[in-house]
Structures are given as C-alpha cells and as structure tokens.
Amino acid sequence: MGSTPSHETPQWRTALRAAFPHTIPVLTGYMFLGIAYGVLMNAKGYGPLWSVLMSAIAFGGSMQFVAISLLTVAFDPVQAFLLSCMVNARHLFYGLSMLEKYRGLGKARIPLIYILSDETFSLVSTVEPPENVDRRQFYLSISLLDYFYWVGGTALGGFLGDFIPFDTTGLDFALTALFVVLFLEQWKKKENRPAGAIGIGATVLCLLLFGADNLVIPAMAVIVAILLGGRKKLCT
C-alpha cells in the first residue's frame, strides 16, 4: 500500500546503467574538482557542512571557486551579483536551447533545469536514450549522477582537508581538461563537427577582438547567432 510499483524499479536501474558510462568523464573531473573545492573551503575556515551546502544549493562550479574569495572579504552584494552574472552568463545561452529537449517531461523539468551544468548540457544535448530506456528517466539519471559527483567530491574534500595538506595550485585546470574530453567525445560524431568548428572559430575571433578577459559573452553571442542563422543547413 502506497509503495512504488515494482515494475518501476527495473526501469530506473536500466536508465542508470545506460546513463552511467556517459558520465564517467564527468565523474573523474567533478570528483577531482569537488575535492579541491572542499579542501580550499576547509583551508579558509569553512568546514564540510558549509562546502557541501554551497555545492548542493548553489551548484555553481567555477562561481563557487570565485565565491571563496568573496567569503573572506567584506561582503559586497552588488559586486557578488554582477560577478555571478558574468561568470554564469553562458547558462542563458545553452539553457534556452534545452527547452525543446526537455519538453513534455512534466515535473522532472524542475530538477533537470536546476541542476543543469556545462558538462550535463554537453551530454544531454548530444546523447540519445536507448530504445528500451525511458527518456525522462535517462536524462534525470545523467543529471543526478553529475550532481552527486560534484556534491560527493566536495564532501570528501571537506572531510579530508585537515588530514591531507598539499599545494592546490593548478587544480582548477582539471575543469579545462574535462571540457576538452567532452568536446572530443562530441567531435567523434560527424554531425556535431560543423557546430564544433563554429565554436572554435567564434572563440578565436572574439579572443583576438576582445582579449582573454572579455571573450566569453561575445563568443557565446556569435556562436548562438551563427547556429540560429544556419540551423536549417546544420540540421540537414
């Protein structure tokens, strides 16, 4: 009485088994970065509880690393707001592109949107569920696995921060390496290569025009404009 029907459990297990192999690159990157974040938070005097809550609620990745410095100085809400908008502006662009992908998924859209990250977007936007796997459960499995990788890594780093002192210089490069791996996975499919080439070209152009510190938003705008303008040719 009131229990979940037994036939739903195998469906979830099937979805998780199908989703997990696609998330292995994210697992390696998120666990490493999550541990680094937990260690850094611990070094600044914020124990595991605070770092885990930050990862579970904010789930901001790069912005969480930026927030470490904001937590150690006099709080400026305007600066924090503007900085968050600039760091996370890319979410506006790829979030809109997921509206059609998540159409018809019911209440599952709420957690799917809330825990959508760069890496999850890269997977969900290119990977299709197998024929025997429910679409909603497949996308939820990918998103939740990625989410728990990050929170779990943060918890591990927070608890071990006091016992494993080491130099954390350069640890954030793991995020760059993770993006490279995900890009290469997408490049294997011929239909993804035109979009990948557009992304590289637009980024290099904006790097030359605006410099390394100001290229993200212009590059995203150029990429979206080209993809929208040429979507008919790219989709054929």
PDB file of all heavy atoms in Angstrom, residues 44-78:
ATOM      1  N   LYS A  44      40.058  27.866   4.268  1.00  0.00           N
ATOM      2  CA  LYS A  44      39.589  29.214   4.590  1.00  0.00           C
ATOM      3  C   LYS A  44      38.738  29.243   5.855  1.00  0.00           C
ATOM      4  O   LYS A  44      38.188  30.282   6.218  1.00  0.00           O
ATOM      5  CB  LYS A  44      38.786  29.784   3.429  1.00  0.00           C
ATOM      6  CG  LYS A  44      39.603  29.990   2.152  1.00  0.00           C
ATOM      7  CD  LYS A  44      40.703  31.022   2.353  1.00  0.00           C
ATOM      8  CE  LYS A  44      41.451  31.278   1.050  1.00  0.00           C
ATOM      9  NZ  LYS A  44      42.532  32.287   1.242  1.00  0.00           N
ATOM     10  N   GLY A  45      38.605  28.097   6.516  1.00  0.00           N
ATOM     11  CA  GLY A  45      37.871  28.056   7.775  1.00  0.00           C
ATOM     12  C   GLY A  45      36.419  27.621   7.663  1.00  0.00           C
ATOM     13  O   GLY A  45      35.687  27.668   8.649  1.00  0.00           O
ATOM     14  N   TYR A  46      35.999  27.180   6.481  1.00  0.00           N
ATOM     15  CA  TYR A  46      34.632  26.714   6.281  1.00  0.00           C
ATOM     16  C   TYR A  46      34.643  25.189   6.219  1.00  0.00           C
ATOM     17  O   TYR A  46      35.194  24.603   5.295  1.00  0.00           O
ATOM     18  CB  TYR A  46      34.041  27.296   4.990  1.00  0.00           C
ATOM     19  CG  TYR A  46      33.857  28.794   5.051  1.00  0.00           C
ATOM     20  CD1 TYR A  46      34.861  29.652   4.578  1.00  0.00           C
ATOM     21  CD2 TYR A  46      32.706  29.358   5.584  1.00  0.00           C
ATOM     22  CE1 TYR A  46      34.710  31.031   4.640  1.00  0.00           C
ATOM     23  CE2 TYR A  46      32.545  30.733   5.645  1.00  0.00           C
ATOM     24  CZ  TYR A  46      33.551  31.558   5.179  1.00  0.00           C
ATOM     25  OH  TYR A  46      33.402  32.924   5.246  1.00  0.00           O
ATOM     26  N   GLY A  47      34.041  24.576   7.222  1.00  0.00           N
ATOM     27  CA  GLY A  47      34.054  23.126   7.331  1.00  0.00           C
ATOM     28  C   GLY A  47      33.238  22.418   6.275  1.00  0.00           C
ATOM     29  O   GLY A  47      32.622  23.047   5.407  1.00  0.00           O
ATOM     30  N   PRO A  48      33.185  21.087   6.345  1.00  0.00           N
ATOM     31  CA  PRO A  48      32.483  20.286   5.332  1.00  0.00           C
ATOM     32  C   PRO A  48      31.016  20.657   5.163  1.00  0.00           C
ATOM     33  O   PRO A  48      30.501  20.631   4.049  1.00  0.00           O
ATOM     34  CB  PRO A  48      32.630  18.856   5.866  1.00  0.00           C
ATOM     35  CG  PRO A  48      33.835  18.890   6.739  1.00  0.00           C
ATOM     36  CD  PRO A  48      33.858  20.253   7.355  1.00  0.00           C
ATOM     37  N   LEU A  49      30.338  21.000   6.250  1.00  0.00           N
ATOM     38  CA  LEU A  49      28.920  21.336   6.156  1.00  0.00           C
ATOM     39  C   LEU A  49      28.705  22.509   5.222  1.00  0.00           C
ATOM     40  O   LEU A  49      27.811  22.483   4.353  1.00  0.00           O
ATOM     41  CB  LEU A  49      28.361  21.654   7.546  1.00  0.00           C
ATOM     42  CG  LEU A  49      26.893  22.119   7.571  1.00  0.00           C
ATOM     43  CD1 LEU A  49      25.981  21.032   7.021  1.00  0.00           C
ATOM     44  CD2 LEU A  49      26.478  22.507   8.984  1.00  0.00           C
ATOM     45  N   TRP A  50      29.531  23.567   5.362  1.00  0.00           N
ATOM     46  CA  TRP A  50      29.353  24.762   4.544  1.00  0.00           C
ATOM     47  C   TRP A  50      29.688  24.494   3.081  1.00  0.00           C
ATOM     48  O   TRP A  50      28.972  24.957   2.172  1.00  0.00           O
ATOM     49  CB  TRP A  50      30.219  25.892   5.086  1.00  0.00           C
ATOM     50  CG  TRP A  50      29.788  26.365   6.427  1.00  0.00           C
ATOM     51  CD1 TRP A  50      30.417  26.146   7.620  1.00  0.00           C
ATOM     52  CD2 TRP A  50      28.616  27.129   6.719  1.00  0.00           C
ATOM     53  NE1 TRP A  50      29.708  26.722   8.644  1.00  0.00           N
ATOM     54  CE2 TRP A  50      28.595  27.338   8.119  1.00  0.00           C
ATOM     55  CE3 TRP A  50      27.580  27.653   5.946  1.00  0.00           C
ATOM     56  CZ2 TRP A  50      27.585  28.038   8.753  1.00  0.00           C
ATOM     57  CZ3 TRP A  50      26.566  28.361   6.579  1.00  0.00           C
ATOM     58  CH2 TRP A  50      26.582  28.544   7.964  1.00  0.00           C
ATOM     59  N   SER A  51      30.764  23.752   2.835  1.00  0.00           N
ATOM     60  CA  SER A  51      31.140  23.479   1.446  1.00  0.00           C
ATOM     61  C   SER A  51      30.113  22.578   0.761  1.00  0.00           C
ATOM     62  O   SER A  51      29.769  22.792  -0.413  1.00  0.00           O
ATOM     63  CB  SER A  51      32.533  22.838   1.387  1.00  0.00           C
ATOM     64  OG  SER A  51      32.595  21.661   2.165  1.00  0.00           O
ATOM     65  N   VAL A  52      29.576  21.596   1.495  1.00  0.00           N
ATOM     66  CA  VAL A  52      28.569  20.713   0.914  1.00  0.00           C
ATOM     67  C   VAL A  52      27.277  21.474   0.634  1.00  0.00           C
ATOM     68  O   VAL A  52      26.647  21.298  -0.419  1.00  0.00           O
ATOM     69  CB  VAL A  52      28.301  19.513   1.841  1.00  0.00           C
ATOM     70  CG1 VAL A  52      27.062  18.731   1.383  1.00  0.00           C
ATOM     71  CG2 VAL A  52      29.510  18.586   1.879  1.00  0.00           C
ATOM     72  N   LEU A  53      26.869  22.330   1.564  1.00  0.00           N
ATOM     73  CA  LEU A  53      25.672  23.134   1.339  1.00  0.00           C
ATOM     74  C   LEU A  53      25.840  24.056   0.143  1.00  0.00           C
ATOM     75  O   LEU A  53      24.910  24.238  -0.658  1.00  0.00           O
ATOM     76  CB  LEU A  53      25.343  23.960   2.593  1.00  0.00           C
ATOM     77  CG  LEU A  53      24.713  23.207   3.768  1.00  0.00           C
ATOM     78  CD1 LEU A  53      24.553  24.129   4.967  1.00  0.00           C
ATOM     79  CD2 LEU A  53      23.363  22.618   3.378  1.00  0.00           C
ATOM     80  N   MET A  54      27.018  24.640   0.000  1.00  0.00           N
ATOM     81  CA  MET A  54      27.275  25.511  -1.143  1.00  0.00           C
ATOM     82  C   MET A  54      27.155  24.726  -2.450  1.00  0.00           C
ATOM     83  O   MET A  54      26.530  25.183  -3.419  1.00  0.00           O
ATOM     84  CB  MET A  54      28.660  26.136  -1.025  1.00  0.00           C
ATOM     85  CG  MET A  54      29.027  27.046  -2.178  1.00  0.00           C
ATOM     86  SD  MET A  54      28.133  28.609  -2.159  1.00  0.00           S
ATOM     87  CE  MET A  54      29.204  29.557  -1.062  1.00  0.00           C
ATOM     88  N   SER A  55      27.751  23.525  -2.494  1.00  0.00           N
ATOM     89  CA  SER A  55      27.691  22.725  -3.705  1.00  0.00           C
ATOM     90  C   SER A  55      26.278  22.223  -3.980  1.00  0.00           C
ATOM     91  O   SER A  55      25.847  22.171  -5.129  1.00  0.00           O
ATOM     92  CB  SER A  55      28.650  21.531  -3.596  1.00  0.00           C
ATOM     93  OG  SER A  55      29.988  21.947  -3.690  1.00  0.00           O
ATOM     94  N   ALA A  56      25.557  21.844  -2.933  1.00  0.00           N
ATOM     95  CA  ALA A  56      24.221  21.282  -3.117  1.00  0.00           C
ATOM     96  C   ALA A  56      23.199  22.333  -3.515  1.00  0.00           C
ATOM     97  O   ALA A  56      22.297  22.052  -4.312  1.00  0.00           O
ATOM     98  CB  ALA A  56      23.778  20.580  -1.829  1.00  0.00           C
ATOM     99  N   ILE A  57      23.330  23.553  -2.986  1.00  0.00           N
ATOM    100  CA  ILE A  57      22.325  24.588  -3.232  1.00  0.00           C
ATOM    101  C   ILE A  57      22.732  25.494  -4.390  1.00  0.00           C
ATOM    102  O   ILE A  57      21.958  25.731  -5.321  1.00  0.00           O
ATOM    103  CB  ILE A  57      22.085  25.420  -1.955  1.00  0.00           C
ATOM    104  CG1 ILE A  57      21.523  24.514  -0.845  1.00  0.00           C
ATOM    105  CG2 ILE A  57      21.118  26.569  -2.235  1.00  0.00           C
ATOM    106  CD1 ILE A  57      21.395  25.193   0.494  1.00  0.00           C
ATOM    107  N   ALA A  58      23.960  26.021  -4.329  1.00  0.00           N
ATOM    108  CA  ALA A  58      24.410  26.924  -5.399  1.00  0.00           C
ATOM    109  C   ALA A  58      24.745  26.150  -6.657  1.00  0.00           C
ATOM    110  O   ALA A  58      24.350  26.537  -7.756  1.00  0.00           O
ATOM    111  CB  ALA A  58      25.624  27.721  -4.931  1.00  0.00           C
ATOM    112  N   PHE A  59      25.479  25.041  -6.505  1.00  0.00           N
ATOM    113  CA  PHE A  59      25.866  24.175  -7.628  1.00  0.00           C
ATOM    114  C   PHE A  59      26.380  25.025  -8.785  1.00  0.00           C
ATOM    115  O   PHE A  59      25.879  24.961  -9.900  1.00  0.00           O
ATOM    116  CB  PHE A  59      24.669  23.325  -8.055  1.00  0.00           C
ATOM    117  CG  PHE A  59      25.033  22.197  -8.994  1.00  0.00           C
ATOM    118  CD1 PHE A  59      26.027  21.293  -8.664  1.00  0.00           C
ATOM    119  CD2 PHE A  59      24.385  22.050 -10.202  1.00  0.00           C
ATOM    120  CE1 PHE A  59      26.370  20.252  -9.532  1.00  0.00           C
ATOM    121  CE2 PHE A  59      24.715  21.018 -11.077  1.00  0.00           C
ATOM    122  CZ  PHE A  59      25.707  20.111 -10.732  1.00  0.00           C
ATOM    123  N   GLY A  60      27.379  25.867  -8.464  1.00  0.00           N
ATOM    124  CA  GLY A  60      27.838  26.855  -9.425  1.00  0.00           C
ATOM    125  C   GLY A  60      29.191  26.579 -10.040  1.00  0.00           C
ATOM    126  O   GLY A  60      29.659  27.366 -10.858  1.00  0.00           O
ATOM    127  N   GLY A  61      29.867  25.489  -9.642  1.00  0.00           N
ATOM    128  CA  GLY A  61      31.140  25.148 -10.266  1.00  0.00           C
ATOM    129  C   GLY A  61      32.173  26.254 -10.150  1.00  0.00           C
ATOM    130  O   GLY A  61      32.681  26.551  -9.068  1.00  0.00           O
ATOM    131  N   SER A  62      32.483  26.887 -11.274  1.00  0.00           N
ATOM    132  CA  SER A  62      33.514  27.922 -11.306  1.00  0.00           C
ATOM    133  C   SER A  62      33.171  29.086 -10.394  1.00  0.00           C
ATOM    134  O   SER A  62      34.051  29.678  -9.756  1.00  0.00           O
ATOM    135  CB  SER A  62      33.711  28.420 -12.741  1.00  0.00           C
ATOM    136  OG  SER A  62      32.484  28.849 -13.296  1.00  0.00           O
ATOM    137  N   MET A  63      31.886  29.437 -10.286  1.00  0.00           N
ATOM    138  CA  MET A  63      31.488  30.544  -9.417  1.00  0.00           C
ATOM    139  C   MET A  63      31.721  30.200  -7.955  1.00  0.00           C
ATOM    140  O   MET A  63      32.003  31.084  -7.150  1.00  0.00           O
ATOM    141  CB  MET A  63      30.012  30.892  -9.646  1.00  0.00           C
ATOM    142  CG  MET A  63      29.552  32.124  -8.874  1.00  0.00           C
ATOM    143  SD  MET A  63      30.532  33.591  -9.298  1.00  0.00           S
ATOM    144  CE  MET A  63      30.355  34.558  -7.790  1.00  0.00           C
ATOM    145  N   GLN A  64      31.649  28.928  -7.602  1.00  0.00           N
ATOM    146  CA  GLN A  64      31.912  28.545  -6.220  1.00  0.00           C
ATOM    147  C   GLN A  64      33.373  28.803  -5.850  1.00  0.00           C
ATOM    148  O   GLN A  64      33.673  29.217  -4.726  1.00  0.00           O
ATOM    149  CB  GLN A  64      31.579  27.072  -6.011  1.00  0.00           C
ATOM    150  CG  GLN A  64      30.085  26.791  -5.971  1.00  0.00           C
ATOM    151  CD  GLN A  64      29.782  25.328  -5.713  1.00  0.00           C
ATOM    152  OE1 GLN A  64      28.982  24.713  -6.400  1.00  0.00           O
ATOM    153  NE2 GLN A  64      30.433  24.750  -4.713  1.00  0.00           N
ATOM    154  N   PHE A  65      34.278  28.561  -6.788  1.00  0.00           N
ATOM    155  CA  PHE A  65      35.683  28.858  -6.520  1.00  0.00           C
ATOM    156  C   PHE A  65      35.890  30.368  -6.366  1.00  0.00           C
ATOM    157  O   PHE A  65      36.653  30.813  -5.519  1.00  0.00           O
ATOM    158  CB  PHE A  65      36.568  28.312  -7.649  1.00  0.00           C
ATOM    159  CG  PHE A  65      36.824  26.836  -7.562  1.00  0.00           C
ATOM    160  CD1 PHE A  65      35.998  25.931  -8.202  1.00  0.00           C
ATOM    161  CD2 PHE A  65      37.902  26.352  -6.845  1.00  0.00           C
ATOM    162  CE1 PHE A  65      36.235  24.568  -8.128  1.00  0.00           C
ATOM    163  CE2 PHE A  65      38.157  24.988  -6.765  1.00  0.00           C
ATOM    164  CZ  PHE A  65      37.315  24.094  -7.413  1.00  0.00           C
ATOM    165  N   VAL A  66      35.205  31.146  -7.213  1.00  0.00           N
ATOM    166  CA  VAL A  66      35.290  32.602  -7.095  1.00  0.00           C
ATOM    167  C   VAL A  66      34.717  33.056  -5.756  1.00  0.00           C
ATOM    168  O   VAL A  66      35.236  33.979  -5.116  1.00  0.00           O
ATOM    169  CB  VAL A  66      34.534  33.279  -8.254  1.00  0.00           C
ATOM    170  CG1 VAL A  66      34.524  34.795  -8.080  1.00  0.00           C
ATOM    171  CG2 VAL A  66      35.165  32.913  -9.589  1.00  0.00           C
ATOM    172  N   ALA A  67      33.652  32.390  -5.312  1.00  0.00           N
ATOM    173  CA  ALA A  67      32.972  32.790  -4.070  1.00  0.00           C
ATOM    174  C   ALA A  67      33.846  32.600  -2.840  1.00  0.00           C
ATOM    175  O   ALA A  67      33.592  33.235  -1.808  1.00  0.00           O
ATOM    176  CB  ALA A  67      31.671  32.008  -3.913  1.00  0.00           C
ATOM    177  N   ILE A  68      34.858  31.737  -2.933  1.00  0.00           N
ATOM    178  CA  ILE A  68      35.737  31.542  -1.779  1.00  0.00           C
ATOM    179  C   ILE A  68      36.385  32.858  -1.375  1.00  0.00           C
ATOM    180  O   ILE A  68      36.460  33.195  -0.188  1.00  0.00           O
ATOM    181  CB  ILE A  68      36.813  30.480  -2.089  1.00  0.00           C
ATOM    182  CG1 ILE A  68      36.165  29.108  -2.304  1.00  0.00           C
ATOM    183  CG2 ILE A  68      37.836  30.404  -0.954  1.00  0.00           C
ATOM    184  CD1 ILE A  68      37.150  28.026  -2.697  1.00  0.00           C
ATOM    185  N   SER A  69      36.844  33.618  -2.370  1.00  0.00           N
ATOM    186  CA  SER A  69      37.469  34.910  -2.062  1.00  0.00           C
ATOM    187  C   SER A  69      36.424  35.911  -1.578  1.00  0.00           C
ATOM    188  O   SER A  69      36.722  36.768  -0.730  1.00  0.00           O
ATOM    189  CB  SER A  69      38.195  35.455  -3.297  1.00  0.00           C
ATOM    190  OG  SER A  69      37.293  35.639  -4.376  1.00  0.00           O
ATOM    191  N   LEU A  70      35.190  35.822  -2.099  1.00  0.00           N
ATOM    192  CA  LEU A  70      34.135  36.733  -1.650  1.00  0.00           C
ATOM    193  C   LEU A  70      33.755  36.491  -0.200  1.00  0.00           C
ATOM    194  O   LEU A  70      33.344  37.422   0.509  1.00  0.00           O
ATOM    195  CB  LEU A  70      32.887  36.568  -2.539  1.00  0.00           C
ATOM    196  CG  LEU A  70      33.040  36.927  -4.025  1.00  0.00           C
ATOM    197  CD1 LEU A  70      31.736  36.665  -4.761  1.00  0.00           C
ATOM    198  CD2 LEU A  70      33.452  38.392  -4.185  1.00  0.00           C
ATOM    199  N   LEU A  71      33.891  35.246   0.244  1.00  0.00           N
ATOM    200  CA  LEU A  71      33.537  34.908   1.627  1.00  0.00           C
ATOM    201  C   LEU A  71      34.583  35.378   2.631  1.00  0.00           C
ATOM    202  O   LEU A  71      34.294  35.443   3.828  1.00  0.00           O
ATOM    203  CB  LEU A  71      33.358  33.395   1.758  1.00  0.00           C
ATOM    204  CG  LEU A  71      32.157  32.782   1.027  1.00  0.00           C
ATOM    205  CD1 LEU A  71      32.234  31.264   1.088  1.00  0.00           C
ATOM    206  CD2 LEU A  71      30.853  33.287   1.616  1.00  0.00           C
ATOM    207  N   THR A  72      35.775  35.685   2.160  1.00  0.00           N
ATOM    208  CA  THR A  72      36.866  36.053   3.076  1.00  0.00           C
ATOM    209  C   THR A  72      37.114  37.555   3.126  1.00  0.00           C
ATOM    210  O   THR A  72      38.056  37.993   3.782  1.00  0.00           O
ATOM    211  CB  THR A  72      38.161  35.338   2.652  1.00  0.00           C
ATOM    212  OG1 THR A  72      38.466  35.663   1.294  1.00  0.00           O
ATOM    213  CG2 THR A  72      38.004  33.831   2.773  1.00  0.00           C
ATOM    214  N   VAL A  73      36.294  38.341   2.428  1.00  0.00           N
ATOM    215  CA  VAL A  73      36.428  39.807   2.463  1.00  0.00           C
ATOM    216  C   VAL A  73      35.084  40.405   2.849  1.00  0.00           C
ATOM    217  O   VAL A  73      34.081  39.705   2.980  1.00  0.00           O
ATOM    218  CB  VAL A  73      36.888  40.364   1.093  1.00  0.00           C
ATOM    219  CG1 VAL A  73      38.263  39.817   0.736  1.00  0.00           C
ATOM    220  CG2 VAL A  73      35.887  40.013   0.001  1.00  0.00           C
ATOM    221  N   ALA A  74      35.058  41.728   3.013  1.00  0.00           N
ATOM    222  CA  ALA A  74      33.804  42.415   3.330  1.00  0.00           C
ATOM    223  C   ALA A  74      32.790  42.165   2.218  1.00  0.00           C
ATOM    224  O   ALA A  74      33.093  42.360   1.037  1.00  0.00           O
ATOM    225  CB  ALA A  74      34.058  43.907   3.502  1.00  0.00           C
ATOM    226  N   PHE A  75      31.591  41.751   2.591  1.00  0.00           N
ATOM    227  CA  PHE A  75      30.593  41.337   1.600  1.00  0.00           C
ATOM    228  C   PHE A  75      30.030  42.544   0.860  1.00  0.00           C
ATOM    229  O   PHE A  75      29.574  43.509   1.468  1.00  0.00           O
ATOM    230  CB  PHE A  75      29.460  40.574   2.291  1.00  0.00           C
ATOM    231  CG  PHE A  75      28.397  40.112   1.335  1.00  0.00           C
ATOM    232  CD1 PHE A  75      28.694  39.204   0.332  1.00  0.00           C
ATOM    233  CD2 PHE A  75      27.101  40.582   1.446  1.00  0.00           C
ATOM    234  CE1 PHE A  75      27.721  38.775  -0.552  1.00  0.00           C
ATOM    235  CE2 PHE A  75      26.110  40.146   0.571  1.00  0.00           C
ATOM    236  CZ  PHE A  75      26.424  39.238  -0.429  1.00  0.00           C
ATOM    237  N   ASP A  76      30.080  42.459  -0.462  1.00  0.00           N
ATOM    238  CA  ASP A  76      29.520  43.485  -1.333  1.00  0.00           C
ATOM    239  C   ASP A  76      28.474  42.813  -2.218  1.00  0.00           C
ATOM    240  O   ASP A  76      28.818  42.154  -3.203  1.00  0.00           O
ATOM    241  CB  ASP A  76      30.619  44.113  -2.191  1.00  0.00           C
ATOM    242  CG  ASP A  76      30.098  45.273  -3.039  1.00  0.00           C
ATOM    243  OD1 ASP A  76      28.870  45.400  -3.190  1.00  0.00           O
ATOM    244  OD2 ASP A  76      30.929  46.052  -3.552  1.00  0.00           O
ATOM    245  N   PRO A  77      27.179  42.932  -1.875  1.00  0.00           N
ATOM    246  CA  PRO A  77      26.145  42.204  -2.631  1.00  0.00           C
ATOM    247  C   PRO A  77      26.082  42.583  -4.102  1.00  0.00           C
ATOM    248  O   PRO A  77      25.820  41.733  -4.946  1.00  0.00           O
ATOM    249  CB  PRO A  77      24.850  42.568  -1.892  1.00  0.00           C
ATOM    250  CG  PRO A  77      25.156  43.823  -1.136  1.00  0.00           C
ATOM    251  CD  PRO A  77      26.600  43.728  -0.778  1.00  0.00           C
ATOM    252  N   VAL A  78      26.308  43.865  -4.423  1.00  0.00           N
ATOM    253  CA  VAL A  78      26.262  44.294  -5.825  1.00  0.00           C
ATOM    254  C   VAL A  78      27.394  43.642  -6.612  1.00  0.00           C
ATOM    255  O   VAL A  78      27.188  43.118  -7.723  1.00  0.00           O
ATOM    256  CB  VAL A  78      26.345  45.828  -5.927  1.00  0.00           C
ATOM    257  CG1 VAL A  78      26.406  46.260  -7.389  1.00  0.00           C
ATOM    258  CG2 VAL A  78      25.152  46.472  -5.228  1.00  0.00           C
TER     259      VAL A  78
END
